[in-house]
Amino acid sequence: MMQNVHLAPETDEDDLYSGYNDYNPTYDTEELENDTGFQQAVRTSHGRRPPSKTSLASSLGRPMTGAIQDGVTRPMTAVRAAGFTKAALRGSAFDPLGQSRGPAPPLEAKNEDSPEEKIRQLEKKVNELVEESCIANSCGDLKLALEKAKDAGRMERVLVRQREQVTTPENINLDLTYSVLFNLASQYSANEMYTEALNTYQVIVKNKMFSNAGILKVNMGNIYLKQRNYSKAIKFYRMALDQIPSVHKEMRIKIMQNIGVTFIKTGQYSDAINSFEHIMSMAPNLKAGYNLILSYFAIGDREKMKKAFQKLIAVPLEIDEDEKYISPSDDPHTNLLIEAIKNDHLRQMERERKAMAEKYIMTAAKLIAPVIETSFAVGYDWCVEVVKASQYVELANDLEINKAITYLRQRDFNQSVDTLKMLEKKDSRVKSAAATNLSGLYFLQNEFSQASSYADLAVNSDRYNPSALTNKGNTVSANGDHEKAAEFYKEALRNDSSCTEALYNLGLTYKKLNRLDEALDCFLKLQAILRNDAQVLYQIANVHELMKDPSQAIEWLMQLISVVPTDSKVLAKLGELYDSEGDKSQAFQYYYESYRYFPSNIEVIEWLGAYYIDTQFCEKAIQYFERASLIQPTQVKWQLMIASCFRRSGNYQKALDTYKDIHRKFPENVECLRFLVRLCTDIGLKEVQEYATKLKKLEKMKEIKEQRIKSGRDGSGGSRSKWEGSTGNDSGQNSSANSKGERLSAKLRTLPGTNEPYESSSNKEIDASYVDPLGPQIERPKTAAKKRGDEDDFADEELGDDLLPE
């Protein structure tokens, strides 16, 4: 063993560690006070001068580290393995950083023409196109997103070909290919190009080199679901479910939920129930619980509906309690923290989740309450008890209000009122909602005193309830105090600027007060909130009409016609406006359209008949006057107009027969007898004497009645008695004047004198026949979409939404 051990000789002239034990008297600190050289160096600048190498070397007992001694540089470390040898760097200066070697050589210039560099640039460009496509999709520009995705796909194929020429196929970037194809399929699906999307997904799924591509079969199933190909959708959902490992529990639950929804759409409720029951047993959630209730409702299983409702109620929300956001102390740091988190994104998400849960529970309760028990009232009571025992206690009162509204829809006002009165002793929010609904109910029944009292109760319970303030304004307006009603509507709008009922009623109130500019401003604001609402469009047109701006009124009515093209009242109003502007052809077009949709409007029939008489087409006017006589058979004027049209068209025999028929129905009509006398005289009939005798008798009776009217005018104050009214009806003129919507002028009703030829009377009648072809203007249109009454009837206009709970 010792043969391999080599001992260093005792006298080694090249010993690097020699001299370490030598003692240098210079380092003797005890004699420093007596050292004259040291003391002189301390007192003067003599010691600051750098010592020479010879003096330093001679003063030290051992060489310095890195110093050259006997031609050999002393190493920086005591370990010889550092690379220092006897002959290394002999005679060179100490340079541990290698500064004596000079600056580093410049970097090699990049060769942009090399294939590798071109491939890298292509990869960068493909990634940029994919990112731009995703950004465009998120901004809603689906067309641009698809174009970018297609460009990325084309460039990626060029990249693959170039890479295959340079390197082996194993070096192809599969991740880049996958992302390009997946983005392209997603953009095809977003643009509803489902066939192209499915083909692209198939390319990804069939490529075995893509790992975990089977999950994309969920997307393919979603596309088939949108195409209503439910069997294929279920097939692909199940294929995806088989390829997803059990550790991905959440993903598997979502796929099973899609399968259950698809089964509901196909009507396979038993299979859907199996899917949702499995979800509720593994990971219960609100959507699955709600869909389970729908499935049991579809098959009519009452007991299972109850159990499913209880499972839905028991789903944990996993949100913080509201008490967390209430400061327990006056610590400023704690208060700042609570203020910061009170309305952050997490808190907003919690509110949305809670609102969604309440929506599902309320909808499910309204759905099952009428069928789980013998009556819907008992069913509602069961739902209320279950909700009271859960974490959604505050929903119980809303269910009670819904119960009252259900009574209201069934026209059971008494039960609805009783149910709402039971909620008067609840907290302020529930009391305000119940009182608001009670106020609306009594307003609909025209019991304004009760409506006003409950409106006061609702306002006192919750001064910030816009529906309560709107109802209070309605009751005040019904009593005639429009100024005060406007104040209530404005207060409701201050509390909730989106309260459309208050804004609409405020516009109507301003119109009643003849403050047309403010009314127009209200309706224009409402138009910005409720786009293309028929009632709002009509009110804007009506206000422009009242402001003597028919061109603007016509423009808004044209917009209204695009919303309700079959509304006969609006078409008639357009005809009236065009007629007032002097455009008879446009007026005829809209009046005729109005007549087509509603052929029983007397005003429209009257105008069309007069139009044909004015244009010398009396034969066409006959059909309209015949229809008018069918609608108002007791009005003699329509039959007189029919006979007059026959007479103008030269058909005297037909005119004579018509007059005879009128005389049989109205034997005391003077105008009919006058025409009979004239016609019989001209034709030479024997009946002329008979008709002349009757005419003289009627004229004599008319004179006697006029004398009685004149003598009795002083005693009655000029008022007409019943006898005078009947006398007026006998004349045929006053009877037509008293009829609703009657527009004939005095010249139309005045017959020509006996000595005038028949033709001479025609122009006289036509000239002033229908000066104002319509009666009182309609205040509100009764559209096909929303039928509302006259604008004075606030109940039909404003209380529809007020009856809903807040």
Side-chain angles (χ1 to χ4, degrees), residues 402 649 752:
N402 277 319
S649 60

Side-chain angles (χ1 to χ4, degrees), residues 234-295:
I234 294 172
K235 174 185 175 182
F236 275 89
Y237 285 144
R238 284 177 170 170
M239 290 169 64
L241 195 63
D242 294 338
Q243 296 185 13
I244 294 177
S246 58
V247 293
H248 297 156
K249 181 180 176 182
E250 186 175 353
M251 178 61 71
R252 291 177 64 87
I253 289 296
K254 289 182 178 180
I255 295 174
M256 291 192 68
Q257 190 160 315
N258 285 9
I259 293 173
V261 171
T262 311
F263 276 132
I264 289 179
K265 289 183 176 292
T266 58
Q268 303 177 40
Y269 300 113
S270 300
D271 295 328
I273 287 170
N274 293 334
S275 298
F276 294 129
E277 284 285 7
H278 178 74
I279 295 172
M280 294 302 289
S281 62
M282 298 295 295
N285 62 76
L286 294 169
K287 290 184 179 179
Y290 179 72
N291 288 332
L292 182 61
I293 293 174
L294 290 181
S295 302

